[in-house]
Amino acid sequence: KAGVTQTPRYLIKTRGQQVTLSCSPISGHRSVSWYQQTPGQGLQFLFEYFSETQRNKGNFPGRFSGRQFSNSRSEMNVSTLELGDSALYLCASSPPTGDTEAFFGQGTRLTVV
Amino acid sequence: KQEVTQIPAALSVPEGENLVLNCSFTDSAIYNLQWFRQDPGKGLTSLLLIQSSQREQTSGRLNASLDKSSGRSTLYIAASQPGDSATYLCAGPLTGRRALTFGSGTRLQVQP
């Protein structure tokens, strides 16, 4: 069974631009969560989607948004990029019921210059 | 607010040693606890999940325990190998939520 797939793996963007990251969960998983990892703040929760609805949201500004499609694939968008948005963005998928084991993708490394 | 702390922050051991990584959390409402491994620049690999009804879980040379009453979890690695070198992270969601709160990790270096 294929794992969680994130594209692209690497991105370089300029301050002020916007960026869209994509995540395809494990087949059958309907919950997709996004996390930001930086050296200073560690891993922080951004948001979680389940059946195309945002179910949980972390403490990030409104420039960070996401959505989920009917096939459970999810996208994350960051508008008006700032230097501090440079990070590894990780996506995780979880089974629809039962325990909440999370399976992570390889991440997208975003560099804002 | 859930806070997760991992001690030590870094650890260097010779190959073959048995070692223990510690994880403590402030909110006993933690639903379950998951241990991950992260290699530099890579994503997270799930190692073990301890569900709320369990006290420990084993996979190969790894054993993880969970004591919700004391707010602690430990990851025991037996007979460490250079390939075990990585950052180990613990994380758990609060009951009813899927958002994981992560510790800052323990960076492990196993010397050949």
Side-chain angles (χ1 to χ4, degrees), chain A residues 53-106:
Chain A
T53 301
Q54 187 181 86
R55 196 159 63 170
N56 290 294
K57 189 177 189 304
N59 189 27
F60 277 81
R63 299 185 298 107
F64 292 82
S65 63
R67 59 177 175 169
Q68 186 179 34
F69 302 94
S70 59
N71 62 358
S72 295
R73 189 178 70 87
S74 177
E75 287 183 346
M76 191 192 96
N77 185 274
V78 188
S79 62
T80 320
L81 284 165
E82 300 176 359
L83 295 179
D85 296 333
S86 296
L88 180 66
Y89 289 88
L90 292 163
C91 165
S93 75
S94 298
T97 58
D99 63 60
T100 57
E101 185 170 11
F103 298 88
F104 282 79
Q106 289 298 297

Side-chain angles (χ1 to χ4, degrees), chain B residues 12-86:
Chain B
S12 182
V13 300
E15 181 177 3
E17 272 205 9
N18 302 323
L19 53 101
V20 175
L21 308 183
N22 295 293
C23 171
S24 61
F25 45 91
T26 55
D27 193 334
S28 61
I30 196 164
Y31 184 61
N32 59 33
L33 194 123
Q34 197 167 355
W35 282 91
F36 297 91
R37 168 191 172 132
Q38 185 174 34
D39 293 288
K42 300 293 180 67
L44 306 182
T45 300
S46 178
L47 296 173
L48 290 165
L49 169 73
I50 312 174
Q51 297 180 15
S52 57
S53 58
Q54 299 174 318
R55 290 188 64 87
E56 69 176 273
Q57 193 69 260
T58 298
S59 176
R61 296 182 293 108
L62 305 180
N63 175 275
S65 66
L66 174 63
D67 184 344
K68 293 174 68 174
S69 62
S70 66
R72 294 176 63 180
S73 177
T74 59
L75 177 66
Y76 175 82
I77 302 177
S80 58
Q81 303 171 357
D84 295 331
S85 298

